[in-house]
Amino acid sequence: MITPVFVYDAIRSPRGKARADGALHTLSAQQLLAVLYDALVERTGLNPEAVAEVILGCVTQHGEQAANIAKTSALYARWPASVSGLTVNRFCSSSLDAVGIAALKIAAGQAQAVVAGGVEMMSRQPMLVDKPPVFTDPAFARECQMYLMGSGADLIASRYVVSRSEADAVALQSQQRAHAARAQGFFKSIIPVYVPATDSTVSEDECIRPQTTAESLAAMPPAFAELGASGVDAVQLAAHPDLSEITHIHTAGNSPAMADGASLVLLGDERLGDQLGVAPRARILATVSASDDPMQVLSGCVAATRKLLDQQELPVTAIDLFEIHEAFAATMVKCQRELAIDDSKLNVNGGVIALGHPMGATGAMMLGTLIDELERRELSLGVVAASGAAGAGSAVLVERLAS
């Protein structure tokens, strides 16, 4: 018998710029997560003794983020030693996979309550600081047919003939929607974070650039042309003989903004709600993982969305809202062309190009944003999907429950 799985709360930190002067930089990953653990208890009345496990996504498991941060962060937050911990790395879809694993454990009757989410403090543990050979050793990368995210994005742009102006238009809309959503207070899942080092409280996403214009985006130089010239373009062209060149259209402006941040989702069975005296906010209807062409790197969110809808025998039109990972602008153009999602249903409050992308935390952050917006609009069905490197992708189908 499959146990229904419910979302009782989904919270996140604000996103901070991944720089030494970023709003969250002085906090360790454990310190930031502790704020969310405390908030989850306060908001829901949760007794941590009832939690079987904490499952967190984290991509750069190095330095402060090493040694199973799911377990160590729970201990740091003074949660009971009986709470197990599992840290997941499926690249940038890690926290969405953490939610999926938690849902599977509850559905199988292995746990009554699981906390899932993720963390990434990119200002303190920058991407590639752990020196993974597949991204730092060109010969090894060629053997795996797997390259850095920007190179994959430019390959997608080349294969799907995505122009620079189309990519910049995706970025501009993301900025405009995120700015409007922040101004109107739509991001209800944000938990304010007090930062002792600066004696300040951070309550809004810091990465949004409302001053962005089409002209400012057009003025930015390509970010990955030099990498392509180092040999990546040649390998991609050899694998795709139909292409005459790789077009380098991605810039700092139409790529995801690196960020600091954390997210937590409380999932449980129906009995948990009775114990808490709290009604669930949503139900997890289905989860999937998928893998697409590793050379395209970032197309997994499209593959996972298609797989989820096919398995559930749902047309795109049956879904009220989509939150799909803006894994570089060309990926979103590919998504629109292949899935034909109505623009009024897709990333309606902006995406990670504007909001920021704390890699291990992003998927669960998007789930909270999706549930917030389904509640605000009084809609029913939503899909959240994220891409990871090497073509990885994950997606979750949720149903909002009337309060």
Side-chain angles (χ1 to χ4, degrees):
M1 180 177 178
I2 298 176
T3 301
V5 181
F6 299 98
V7 175
Y8 286 91
D9 210 357
I11 60 176
R12 68 175 179 92
S13 73
R15 291 163 164 105
K17 293 178 180 178
R19 305 188 322 208
D21 61 352
L24 301 176
H25 170 70
T26 58
L27 298 176
S28 69
Q30 289 84 355
Q31 288 172 319
L32 183 60
L33 281 165
V35 175
L36 297 188
Y37 285 124
D38 289 347
L40 201 59
V41 169
E42 182 179 347
R43 284 164 61 103
T44 65
L46 175 69
N47 180 353
E49 296 276 359
V51 177
E53 191 163 14
V54 171
I55 306 175
L56 297 182
C58 184
V59 177
T60 307
Q61 296 177 32
H62 178 271
E64 295 173 343
Q65 294 178 171
N68 191 2
I69 195 166
K71 179 62 177 178
T72 58
S73 65
L75 291 172
Y76 182 85
R78 303 294 188 264
W79 277 30
S82 60
V83 180
S84 298
L86 171 66
T87 303
V88 176
N89 182 5
R90 206 195 302 266
F91 306 111
C92 299
S93 66
S94 295
S95 62
L96 202 57
D97 277 286
V99 171
I101 293 168
L104 290 173
K105 286 176 175 282
I106 295 165
Q110 297 178 12
Q112 181 183 43
V114 179
V115 172
V119 67
E120 207 81 39
M121 297 298 291
M122 298 183 73
S123 69
R124 299 171 70 97
Q125 300 298 320
M127 186 170 66
L128 307 186
V129 71
D130 51 343
K131 297 181 172 61
V134 75
F135 293 137
T136 59
D137 180 344
F140 187 70
R142 280 195 298 273
E143 290 298 318
C144 297
Q145 295 290 286
M146 175 179 163
Y147 294 95
L148 279 166
M149 285 64 76
S151 294
D154 280 344
L155 176 59
I156 291 172
S158 303
R159 290 198 64 198
Y160 288 84
V161 196
V162 179
S163 69
R164 172 65 182 272
S165 61
E166 285 179 294
D168 285 349
V170 169
L172 182 59
Q173 178 172 267
S174 184
Q175 295 288 351
Q176 292 172 337
R177 287 182 168 182
H179 175 55
R182 181 176 63 180
Q184 295 174 81
F186 289 169
F187 298 125
K188 299 296 186 184
S189 53
I190 291 180
I191 301 299
V193 174
Y194 175 69
V195 181
T198 56
D199 190 26
S200 62
T201 297
V202 184
S203 58
E204 293 186 335
D205 293 313
E206 185 183 29
C207 298
I208 302 169
R209 301 183 292 270
Q211 72 279 8
T212 301
T213 64
E215 291 73 23
S216 67
L217 288 168
M220 292 185 175
F224 308 105
E226 185 176 343
L227 184 61
S230 71
V232 176
D233 281 5
V235 174
Q236 290 175 329
L237 290 171
H240 297 280
D242 56 309
L243 294 178
S244 60
E245 64 174 345
I246 302 298
T247 54
H248 296 285
I249 66 165
H250 288 94
T251 70
N254 57 34
S255 304
M258 292 184 292
D260 295 333
S263 53
L264 292 180
V265 181
L266 174 60
L267 299 106
D269 61 15
E270 192 171 12
R271 292 176 300 148
L272 179 65
D274 295 337
Q275 293 172 10
L276 296 177
V278 173
R281 297 177 61 192
R283 179 177 171 183
I284 303 290
L285 298 180
T287 69
V288 302
S289 59
S291 195
D292 204 17
D293 177 11
M295 265 203 181
Q296 292 187 51
V297 186
L298 302 160
S299 56
C301 60
V302 181
T305 301
R306 184 187 297 109
K307 181 177 178 179
L308 180 68
L309 295 176
D310 287 348
Q311 285 186 354
Q312 298 302 305
E313 298 181 345
L314 289 170
V316 167
T317 53
I319 307 302
D320 296 309
L321 291 175
F322 291 83
E323 281 288 326
I324 296 183
H325 180 200
E326 284 180 349
F328 295 78
T331 307
M332 297 310 297
V333 176
K334 170 183 166 73
C335 176
Q336 285 282 60
R337 289 182 187 175
E338 292 198 359
L339 299 178
I341 300 171
D342 191 289
D343 187 62
S344 66
K345 294 183 175 184
L346 177 61
N347 294 356
V348 296
N349 291 325
V352 299
I353 289 175
L355 291 163
H357 179 32
M359 300 184 293
T362 295
M365 284 184 162
M366 294 195 305
L367 176 61
T369 298
L370 176 64
I371 294 172
D372 286 346
E373 194 63 16
L374 288 171
E375 289 175 342
R376 191 180 75 82
R377 298 186 182 207
E378 298 185 347
L379 298 173
S380 178
L381 293 180
V383 168
V384 55
S387 291
S394 302
V396 175
L397 174 66
V398 298
E399 176 190 22
R400 179 188 68 90
L401 300 177
S403 56

